[in-house]
Amino acid sequence: MAMAMMIRNAAASRRAMTPISGDFGGGLRSMSSWWKSVEPAPKDPILGVTEAFLADPSPDKVNVGVGAYRDDNGKPVVLDCVREAERRLAGSTFMEYLPMGGSAKMVDLTLKLAYGDDSEFIKDKRIAAIQTLSGTGACRLFADFQKRFCPGSQIYIPVPTWSNHHNIWRDAEVPQKTYHYYHPETKGLDFSALMDDVKNAPDGSFFLLHACAHNPTGVDPTEEQWREISQLFKAKSHFAFFDMAYQGFASGDPARDAKSIRIFLEDGHHIGISQSYAKNMGLYGQRVGCLSVLCEDAKQAVSVKSQLQQLARPMYSNPPLHGAQLVSTILEDPELKSLWLKEVKVMADRIIGMRTTLRESLEKLGSPLSWEHVTKQIGMFCYSGLTPEQVDRLTSEYHIYMTRNGRISMAGVTTGNVGYLANAIHEVTKSS
Ligand code: KET
């Protein structure tokens, strides 16, 4: 179902992007006809939900669409460590351009979170890394890099995945293949099908992996399964590109959430990583993240970094300053860093608590369905199993907004709305 939707969306996007044909050679043309054949683009399956939510005047409305953390009063959160960093930066008059690769300090501190504080790869300068426009920018830059330097290659993407992954590699003109990931009946990982797809892909293929807190399913491989995946990748000489947008949101501990990456590093893979501070530092609109590629040696890393910068230069020249300053201020001060780690844990724990309450509420209402997966899944999202039609009813009858694939952003569930949400879910599912 979700796959069919994705394919329909992709087809609609292609239609909407059909270029204008006509005489562009200086021939006569009325001014009004320039964009005549431009059709409205299809709504984004995630950000379009926020637009619809904002347009709804109902006082009961609930937004569990976009993956953005809210406190228990449903309010956006600015972390205390960020407030303190803001205070320390207040009055800073440095407004110069950052280099094309962004803040070297921020990048170094960010690499430690992914590769480990004592990583030999960092010490040996084997990692080519630049600051990016958050996680989306990191994925896109990698996709462009892949296209430029491995022009015939394709990318294997899990089913399902974050919808924007498809747009990113499509716009970078890298052909996409999919691999099995989620098993709708067990609502868990389809490990054997995943391994078959990894095995059957041509040697040396590119794979996109969610490092932790898989979006939208909330289902991650176990540590043992990651080890098996890594071994098979090795046997097949595949390239692993990790999208790590939720480091800290799976377990509450960023180091633990990097386990998949550390396993691949132990096994000697040369991986790529996208990191984002949108969620785990609440810096959504600051657009701060990092792209890194582990290279064979320091010399290769210099070349790769220079090429990443070369891709950034004509696109946005250099990344924004303020978010990078905030991240550096927090991570370079041990006290602020430990405050951040505490706050990440508080966010993760609130979500875990809401999972329990949502499941219990549905059970108390006498739901005939099993809601075990609500508490089994991890990270920001619950892949509820609601059908697109049931989601439509939730929106039209209860003003509850979520993506049509049934994904609930648990970060938007609060003590105040969980009962209302459970009741509405029960109403639309009880006869199924
Ligand atoms: N990767 C994944 C897996 C992801 O879920 C997101 C954001 C990103 C990357 C990019 O985040 P950035 O803000 O560029 O660092 N996901 C949420 C928001 C969105 O769709 O843009 C979401 O799924 O709701």
Side-chain angles (χ1 to χ4, degrees), residues 65-113:
V66 70
Y69 185 77
R70 299 288 177 260
D71 67 13
D72 201 39
N73 296 312
K75 295 277 178 287
V77 172
V78 179
L79 298 183
D80 285 339
C81 60
V82 171
R83 285 184 197 280
E84 175 56 22
E86 284 286 12
R87 203 187 57 73
R88 292 187 194 177
L89 288 171
S92 161
T93 50
F94 182 76
M95 300 287 158
E96 294 298 298
Y97 290 131
L98 281 173
M100 285 179 280
S103 156
K105 195 202 280 178
M106 190 285 288
V107 166
D108 284 349
L109 291 159
T110 302
L111 292 181
K112 287 187 178 164
L113 290 179

Side-chain angles (χ1 to χ4, degrees), residues 97-102 130-134 137-138 140-141 144 287 289 291 308-320:
Y97 290 131
L98 281 173
M100 285 179 280
I130 73 169
Q131 183 185 331
T132 54
L133 305 186
S134 214
R140 179 59 196 268
L141 216 54
D144 284 341
R287 315 305 297 142
L291 168 66
L308 294 174
Q309 293 182 164
Q310 178 96 332
L311 283 163
R313 172 68 170 147
M315 228 189 299
Y316 55 84
S317 193
N318 45 66

Side-chain angles (χ1 to χ4, degrees), residues 72 84 109 148 151 176 182 185 195 214 228 251 285 313 333 358 384 387 400 403 409 416 425:
D72 201 39
E84 175 56 22
L109 291 159
R148 183 166 291 181
Q176 297 175 38
Y182 182 74
E185 266 97 71
M195 292 295 269
H214 181 273
E228 286 183 46
S251 68
R313 172 68 170 147
D333 178 314
L358 179 61
S384 65
T387 64
I400 293 168
T403 53
S409 173
I425 292 177

Side-chain angles (χ1 to χ4, degrees), residues 44 46-47 65-68 133-137 139 162 164-165 210 215 243 245-246 274 276-279 284 287-288 381 407:
D44 184 83
I46 299 173
L47 300 184
V66 70
L133 305 186
S134 214
T136 308
C139 288
W162 178 47
N164 210 22
H165 283 145
H210 295 230
N215 176 10
D243 182 358
Y246 299 94
S274 156
S276 164
Y277 288 108
K279 329 275 173 167
Y284 303 90
R287 315 305 297 142
V288 51
F381 303 108
R407 183 188 85 165

Side-chain angles (χ1 to χ4, degrees), residues 77 126 181 431:
V77 172
R126 280 181 53 191
Y181 190 84
S431 57

